[in-house]
Amino acid sequence: MTEANQPVPMQATTPSQGVLKTNSNTINTVNIRSGPSLNRRVIHEGKNGDKVKILDQSKPAGDTHSW
């Protein structure tokens, strides 16, 4: 990974509550990955509507998604 592709923190965050949401009408699961990229390993699978604690957010350079 080059320096340009490193995740950049969006803001200093404190843990907050969130709810998982899929971007599909037919799939009810959400992949939880080891880092902010579709290329990172899936470490857990959540279900649409699961409550989660958000520890951090980042937006890698050139990525249109927040992770």
Side-chain angles (χ1 to χ4, degrees):
M1 195 183 275
T2 65
E3 189 173 307
N5 293 332
Q6 292 294 318
V8 177
M10 293 181 65
Q11 60 186 354
T13 60
T14 57
S16 61
Q17 298 296 315
V19 177
L20 294 179
K21 183 178 177 186
T22 66
N23 60 357
S24 169
N25 292 328
T26 58
I27 297 173
N28 193 36
T29 58
V30 177
N31 289 331
I32 310 298
R33 296 183 180 273
S34 62
S37 170
L38 293 175
N39 296 325
R40 298 301 291 264
R41 178 173 61 91
V42 175
I43 57 173
H44 185 73
E45 188 175 89
K47 293 192 185 305
N48 192 45
D50 282 353
K51 292 181 182 178
V52 295
K53 183 184 289 187
I54 300 169
L55 302 176
D56 194 13
Q57 293 181 357
S58 64
K59 187 168 188 146
D63 196 334
T64 59
H65 299 91
S66 296
W67 298 82

